[in-house]
Amino acid sequence: MKRKICLVLTSRGNYGKTKSIIQAANKHDDIELQVIIGGSLVLEKYGKILDSEYADSFQVDAKIHFLVEGETPLTMAKSAGLAVSDFATAFGNMNPDLVVVIADRFECLPVAMAATYMNIPVAHIEGGEISGSIDESIRHAITKLSYLHFPCSEEARDRIIRMGENAERVHLVGSTSFDVLANIQLDDLSPFDHLQEEKGVGKYVRAEKGKYLIVIQHPVTTEYEHNRDYIQETVDAIDRLEIPTFWLWPNMDAGSDGISKGIRQYREARSPGHVHFFKSLPIELFGPLLKNAGCIVGNSSSGIREAAFLGTPAVNIGNRQIGRDRGKNVIDVPNRSHEIVSAVRKQLEHGPFTPDHLYGDGSAGPKIVDIMASSHLQSQKINSY
């Protein structure tokens, strides 16, 4: 019988990171792919990226609404509680042999909890990394609940093993998001000419290679009360720079509402002619945009991972990515507008960096699928050492 692998997708980021896994699993003779979607992927306010023409064709076995409106620490905790119950119900109906979770999003911990209590092994992608918020604790908690591990870097692999995980089940494969980037045309910026007419908000911004910025700033959940002030510093910096800019909306973590409010006020009060705003972009469009940007600004892991892989300069703001391995393409700055401006100008003057394969080379997805198909699985992890 085919092994039933259940993939849980809850955000634009983890969907982009699983595209190569979905493609490889659908071609594998020994795997039956199951897919559950939820979170921001099913909400219009976050762009519903699965409705994009770039979305892969796959069967959705369950759709789960677990988000409580508000984007506060309280609603995030309540959302996590709902997620445990709803994912447990889905797993009971679908009876998977293995559940796959990605990285450190708050809703991934309830997924791993539900599967573990139901004696379903968990495969964890992007474990073993450290950062500067609650994400790190969530990531490590998922690691301890997981049976198979697919870290992206050597240091992350070693950390997972030092946490007590069986080295035979820790497989260094690299970042799955690079798989898409390694197989698409990265020099074509023409889609952005017509895309701005169809999607997003703001005036037309010319995407001229090396002469525009990308901004992605997510909330820092452990500094919830400061997120509104943080985004104001970034807004002031981008306004002062007056460089063509593509700005992507924040994720659904606690503090997102304050960041969104700051962006909306900037957009509505000042009507910046050099900024175009998008809710989200599929990786097939985001990849070329990132590759040809003069600089990516904010606190997204894209500035640490994908930007390094592509050689794009990055200005990383604040503590959200603190402690994470980074390449030479990154300048770290605090949440102060004048330091952001100075760092962006320095990066624009420098230009592209040599691509860095710190997090992989673009061949992770098929490796992960082969390992998941062939690994011996035991429902009781403690008996497997």
Side-chain angles (χ1 to χ4, degrees):
M1 294 178 63
K2 290 186 175 183
R3 176 166 286 176
K4 292 187 288 186
I5 306 295
C6 181
L7 191 61
V8 178
L9 306 176
T10 57
S11 72
R12 68 193 184 201
N14 65 27
Y15 171 59
K17 293 174 181 178
T18 57
K19 288 177 73 74
S20 64
I21 296 175
I22 292 171
Q23 293 163 3
N26 282 332
K27 296 176 183 177
H28 204 289
D29 293 336
D30 298 324
I31 284 182
E32 176 187 334
L33 181 65
Q34 300 174 323
V35 178
I36 300 176
I37 65 171
S40 64
L41 287 182
V42 297
L43 298 178
E44 183 62 44
K45 67 184 288 187
Y46 295 103
K48 296 186 74 173
I49 203 165
L50 291 182
D51 291 345
S52 162
E53 62 185 284
Y54 294 94
D56 290 309
S57 177
F58 56 86
Q59 178 179 326
V60 175
D61 296 274
K63 184 183 294 186
I64 295 178
H65 289 268
F66 58 82
L67 281 179
V68 178
E69 248 341 278
E71 288 85 13
T72 68
L74 175 61
T75 61
M76 190 164 69
K78 288 187 174 183
S79 295
L82 290 174
V84 173
S85 175
D86 289 349
F87 279 107
T89 299
F91 296 152
N93 293 333
M94 296 163 60
N95 194 28
D97 297 307
L98 184 70
V99 170
V100 184
V101 297
I102 303 165
D104 54 12
R105 289 209 45 77
F106 77 87
E107 70 274 11
C108 293
L109 179 56
V111 172
M113 287 172 57
T116 300
Y117 278 124
M118 298 175 73
N119 289 328
I120 304 169
V122 175
H124 186 204
I125 297 171
E126 293 188 4
E129 299 175 22
I130 59 176
S131 58
S133 70
I134 192 65
D135 296 350
E136 179 181 328
S137 299
I138 290 172
R139 188 187 305 108
H140 293 340
I142 295 171
T143 289
K144 296 307 298 180
L145 293 171
S146 298
Y147 183 85
L148 292 176
H149 307 271
F150 298 103
C152 296
S153 70
E154 188 70 46
E155 184 172 334
R157 177 187 180 276
D158 293 344
R159 186 173 291 112
I160 291 172
I161 295 170
R162 292 199 303 272
M163 290 171 66
E165 298 304 294
N166 189 328
E168 294 181 359
R169 299 200 303 272
V170 184
H171 306 276
L172 177 59
V173 294
S175 178
T176 52
S177 60
F178 298 171
D179 297 4
V180 178
L181 299 178
N183 291 283
I184 61 174
Q185 173 55 255
L186 291 169
D187 296 324
D188 185 12
L189 289 171
S190 60
F192 291 94
D193 289 333
H194 66 81
L195 184 70
Q196 294 179 69
E197 299 175 4
E198 301 173 3
K199 294 185 179 294
V201 176
K203 297 181 181 179
Y204 169 80
V205 173
R206 184 180 180 187
E208 187 175 354
K209 185 174 181 178
K211 297 184 178 180
Y212 63 87
L213 307 177
I214 298 173
V215 179
I216 310 176
Q217 185 155 327
H218 299 304
V220 183
T221 54
T222 49
E223 300 170 15
Y224 171 78
E225 66 276 11
H226 300 298
N227 283 300
R228 182 64 181 83
D229 295 331
Y230 291 164
I231 196 62
Q232 189 60 52
E233 295 291 331
T234 304
V235 162
D236 291 344
I238 297 304
D239 200 51
R240 286 174 55 192
L241 285 163
E242 292 188 320
I243 296 170
T245 299
F246 295 97
W247 199 315
L248 274 67
W249 223 246
N251 65 23
M252 59 186 178
D253 289 348
S256 176
D257 191 52
I259 289 181
S260 298
K261 183 176 181 180
I263 297 172
R264 284 195 302 269
Q265 287 183 342
Y266 172 52
R267 186 185 68 201
E268 294 164 8
R270 304 189 200 179
S271 299
H274 63 291
V275 185
H276 196 89
F277 303 89
F278 289 108
K279 288 182 180 178
S280 63
L281 288 173
I283 193 169
E284 290 84 356
L285 291 179
F286 180 69
L289 193 69
L290 180 60
K291 173 67 170 68
N292 295 283
C295 184
I296 179 172
V297 183
N299 60 11
S300 168
S301 63
S302 293
I304 307 294
R305 294 175 179 275
E306 287 81 5
F309 181 72
L310 297 173
T312 303
V315 172
N316 179 64
I317 305 172
N319 294 324
R320 189 170 184 266
Q321 302 297 337
I322 193 169
R324 180 165 282 177
D325 296 343
R326 64 243 293 124
K328 296 179 180 179
N329 69 307
V330 179
I331 293 178
D332 292 291
V333 296
N335 291 275
R336 290 196 285 269
S337 62
H338 68 281
E339 295 199 41
I340 298 170
V341 168
S342 177
V344 169
R345 287 173 175 163
K346 183 176 180 180
Q347 292 288 54
L348 292 174
E349 183 179 350
H350 182 282
F353 287 77
T354 301
D356 190 330
H357 289 174
L358 171 66
Y359 285 102
D361 60 6
S363 59
K367 296 176 185 176
I368 291 173
V369 170
D370 285 341
I371 293 168
M372 290 193 299
S374 61
S375 293
H376 174 67
L377 301 181
Q378 291 189 5
S379 60
Q380 294 295 338
K381 178 180 176 182
I382 195 167
N383 295 327
S384 62
Y385 286 94

